[in-house]
């Protein structure tokens, strides 16, 4: 693609914040500390998790960069950044979460394959750009279209970056056309993140943001948009990011028996404490995040200090001082909520958090019940252990 290229090595990687916890260097995958993650409702770009499958693309000439729209449509079209920026600009506050978030805890139950994420492989940003529904109108696809006249039912996003899983080919993914053409789904071609141009790690100059869906579908460094009859046949749609039962292993797996994962389930985690913490005697504050996919708000977060025998409801909020009402127009539909609870801790305690969304979906109690060989969607109750004592100086 003129103006942008996917390097073959890692010699031109962008700078990263030194406080990130690096889970893999090449390709670069990293997350913030727990405390940094919940330091702000809108995650600073530096602390937004980095998920990459290859070297970061390099933009040589932004004026020559364009995105090609083609496939099962009457007329193909190349869109330059100036064309996209002429469309109405929308801002959407949305949480993106890697499907492998909390994989490390799942691997402690039984070994899984994948990047070893703690609980911070997600972040909440204010994304700015054009709605995909408006972009598709430019090639004759009206709002709320499920199938084009030529039989297109899916929208495939193809990146400029190269990854080994595609044998050196580009990363790609797709979403249903019905979702892409629904302006209420808020799917964006985003060129801004938190009021600034998206940086290289997060998709500069243009990326897709699909709110409420696992991060793997929000393709960065956009190269092509294809209207296709069937869902994308790329590796990360067909041979990864699928939810299998605990009985499936690498000897008996049949990838074709499961659909690609889209919405992420209800999730929460405690961020004010590590897996094992020493605290002072008295009352402590328990803080964390909760989020659910598909635009489902958080109805409740329950916190226990006795391993789940008894529970207290935590307070929930998005912006400090503004009451959070799940599914209300005053709340950010696609974004996480923070929760907070206070408790007097006995000599030692297992603190547990679980969230419930507006559809009454609740996190499962055990990791074993959701264990899968790729270690995705660990949404089991989040547990940390504390004891009262004198912290080492």
């Amino acid at each position: 693609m003129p103006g942008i290229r996917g390097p073959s090595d890692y010699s031109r990687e962008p700078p990263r914040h030194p406080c990130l916890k690096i889970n893999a260097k090449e390709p670069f995958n990293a997350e913030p500390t727990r405390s940094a993650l919940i330091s702000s409702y809108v995650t600073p770009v530096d602390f937004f998790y980095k998920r990459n499958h290859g070297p970061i693309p390099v933009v040589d000439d932004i004026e020559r960069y364009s995105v090609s729209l083609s496939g099962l449509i009457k007329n193909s079209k190349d869109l330059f950044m100036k064309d996209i920026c002429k469309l109405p600009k929308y801002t959407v506050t949305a949480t993106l979460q890697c499907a492998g978030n909390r994989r490390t805890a799942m691997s402690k139950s039984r070994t899984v394959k994948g990047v070893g994420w703690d609980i911070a492989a997600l972040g909440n940003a204010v994304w700015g750009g054009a709605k995909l529904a408006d972009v598709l109108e430019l090639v004759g696809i009206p709002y709320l279209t499920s199938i084009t006249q030529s039989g297109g039912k899916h929208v495939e996003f193809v990146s400029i970056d190269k990854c080994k899983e595609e044998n050196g080919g580009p990363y790609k993914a797709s979403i249903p056309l019905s979702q892409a053409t629904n302006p209420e789904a808020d799917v964006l071609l985003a060129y801004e993140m938190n009021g600034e141009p998206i940086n290289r790690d997060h998709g500069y100059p243009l990326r897709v943001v699909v709110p409420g869906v696992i991060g793997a579908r929000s393709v960065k460094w956009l190269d092509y948009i294809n209207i296709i009859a069937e869902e994308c046949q790329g590796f990360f749609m067909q041979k990864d990011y699928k939810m299998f039962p605990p009985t499936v292993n690498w000897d008996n797996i049949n990838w074709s028996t499961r659909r690609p994962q889209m919405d992420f389930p209800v999730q929460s985690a405690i961020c004010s404490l590590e897996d094992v913490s020493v605290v002072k005697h008295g009352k402590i504050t328990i803080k964390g995040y909760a989020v659910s996919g598909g635009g489902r708000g958080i109805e409740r977060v329950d916190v226990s200090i006795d391993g789940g025998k008894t529970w207290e409801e935590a307070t929930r909020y998005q912006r400090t001082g503004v009451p959070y009402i799940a599914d209300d127009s005053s709340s950010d539909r696609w974004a996480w909520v923070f929760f907070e609870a206070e408790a007097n801790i006995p000599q030692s305690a297992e603190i547990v958090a679980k969230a419930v969304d507006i559809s009454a979906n609740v996190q499962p109690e055990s990791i074993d019940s959701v264990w899968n060989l790729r270690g995705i969607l660990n949404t089991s109750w989040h547990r940390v252990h504390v004891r009262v004592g004198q912290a080492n100086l």
Side-chain angles (χ1 to χ4, degrees), residues 229-364:
E230 305 293 335
E231 65 192 13
C232 170
Q233 295 301 299
F235 178 90
F236 294 99
M237 287 288 289
Q238 300 304 325
K239 292 191 175 182
D240 203 354
Y241 298 124
K242 293 183 176 183
M243 185 66 168
F244 285 90
T247 53
V248 172
N249 57 46
W250 293 106
D251 294 324
N252 63 18
I253 190 170
N254 182 349
W255 289 101
S256 66
T257 61
R258 290 293 182 272
R259 59 182 291 276
Q261 186 65 38
M262 300 302 281
D263 287 9
F264 51 80
V266 64
Q267 172 76 285
S268 73
I270 298 165
C271 296
S272 56
L273 296 162
E274 298 300 319
D275 287 342
V276 178
S277 300
V278 178
V279 299
K280 295 179 180 179
H281 179 75
K283 188 171 288 188
I284 68 167
T285 301
I286 303 159
K287 298 180 179 181
Y289 65 79
V291 65
S292 192
R296 294 179 290 274
I298 298 298
E299 183 63 27
R300 198 176 79 239
V301 179
D302 301 324
V303 173
S304 171
I305 62 169
D306 56 14
K309 295 177 182 177
T310 61
W311 301 88
E312 296 289 339
E313 186 173 348
T315 58
R316 294 159 295 136
Y317 60 96
Q318 288 184 325
R319 294 173 180 85
T320 304
V322 179
Y324 171 76
I325 304 172
D327 211 25
D328 188 82
S329 59
S330 64
S331 301
D332 291 325
R333 177 186 179 194
W334 306 108
W336 62 10
V337 303
F338 286 169
F339 68 83
E340 186 172 320
E342 291 188 338
N344 284 303
I345 301 300
Q347 195 62 33
S348 63
E350 182 184 45
I351 302 178
V352 186
K354 64 178 172 70
V356 183
D357 70 18
I358 57 171
S359 297
N361 299 308
V362 62
Q363 291 174 253

Side-chain angles (χ1 to χ4, degrees), residues 5 7 9-14 56-60 200:
R5 56 189 170 87
D9 59 43
Y10 293 91
S11 62
R12 297 196 62 182
E13 293 290 280
I56 305 301
V58 176
V59 175
D60 295 315
R200 287 180 59 207

Side-chain angles (χ1 to χ4, degrees), residues 23-336:
N23 298 322
K25 289 186 177 181
E26 294 181 356
F28 189 81
N29 290 281
E31 62 189 305
T33 62
R34 296 181 180 189
S35 59
L37 181 66
I38 58 164
S39 63
S40 173
Y41 171 66
V42 174
T43 309
V45 174
D46 281 348
F47 292 151
F48 205 99
Y49 78 103
K50 320 297 182 193
R51 177 69 176 113
N52 297 303
H53 295 90
I56 305 301
V58 176
V59 175
D60 295 315
D61 186 351
I62 190 63
E63 299 298 325
R64 297 178 63 208
Y65 168 76
S66 65
V67 176
S68 297
L69 280 73
S70 60
L72 298 175
I73 50 178
K74 289 183 178 179
N75 299 302
S76 298
K77 190 177 184 68
D78 289 339
L79 286 180
F80 293 85
M81 286 301 298
K82 62 182 179 181
D83 302 317
I84 295 168
C85 290
K86 286 178 183 177
L87 293 169
K89 178 186 173 183
Y90 293 88
T91 57
V92 176
T93 304
T95 299
L96 293 187
Q97 178 176 206
C98 179
N101 191 30
R102 300 182 58 201
R103 179 180 283 130
T104 296
M106 185 175 281
S107 68
K108 292 177 181 177
S109 174
R110 286 161 57 193
T111 302
V112 298
K113 287 186 179 181
V115 176
W117 298 105
D118 185 40
I119 66 171
L122 78 170
N124 189 50
V126 180
W127 307 97
K131 286 198 176 183
L132 180 58
D134 290 342
V135 172
L136 294 177
E137 275 203 320
L138 297 177
V139 290
I141 304 177
Y143 282 4
L144 305 177
T145 297
S146 297
I147 182 171
T148 66
Q149 292 182 350
S150 303
K153 295 182 180 180
H154 298 264
V155 181
E156 179 183 57
F157 311 113
V158 182
S159 176
I160 195 70
D161 75 326
K162 307 294 187 268
C163 46
K164 64 180 182 180
E165 293 89 350
E166 294 284 5
N167 297 315
Y171 185 97
K172 60 183 78 171
S174 68
I175 62 173
L177 182 64
S178 57
Q179 181 179 13
T181 58
N182 180 0
E184 297 299 314
D186 288 331
V187 181
L188 293 183
L189 296 192
Y191 45 80
E192 286 185 0
M193 182 179 182
N194 295 348
E196 301 289 339
I198 285 180
N199 72 10
R200 287 180 59 207
D201 258 328
H202 295 290
Y204 178 79
L206 194 68
R207 71 170 297 163
V208 185
V209 173
V210 188
V213 169
I214 64 169
R217 314 307 176 208
S218 290
V219 175
K220 298 185 282 186
W221 312 292
L222 198 55
D223 194 358
Y224 295 95
I225 298 175
N226 298 321
I227 309 303
I228 55 180
E230 305 293 335
E231 65 192 13
C232 170
Q233 295 301 299
F235 178 90
F236 294 99
M237 287 288 289
Q238 300 304 325
K239 292 191 175 182
D240 203 354
Y241 298 124
K242 293 183 176 183
M243 185 66 168
F244 285 90
T247 53
V248 172
N249 57 46
W250 293 106
D251 294 324
N252 63 18
I253 190 170
N254 182 349
W255 289 101
S256 66
T257 61
R258 290 293 182 272
R259 59 182 291 276
Q261 186 65 38
M262 300 302 281
D263 287 9
F264 51 80
V266 64
Q267 172 76 285
S268 73
I270 298 165
C271 296
S272 56
L273 296 162
E274 298 300 319
D275 287 342
V276 178
S277 300
V278 178
V279 299
K280 295 179 180 179
H281 179 75
K283 188 171 288 188
I284 68 167
T285 301
I286 303 159
K287 298 180 179 181
Y289 65 79
V291 65
S292 192
R296 294 179 290 274
I298 298 298
E299 183 63 27
R300 198 176 79 239
V301 179
D302 301 324
V303 173
S304 171
I305 62 169
D306 56 14
K309 295 177 182 177
T310 61
W311 301 88
E312 296 289 339
E313 186 173 348
T315 58
R316 294 159 295 136
Y317 60 96
Q318 288 184 325
R319 294 173 180 85
T320 304
V322 179
Y324 171 76
I325 304 172
D327 211 25
D328 188 82
S329 59
S330 64
S331 301
D332 291 325
R333 177 186 179 194
W334 306 108
W336 62 10

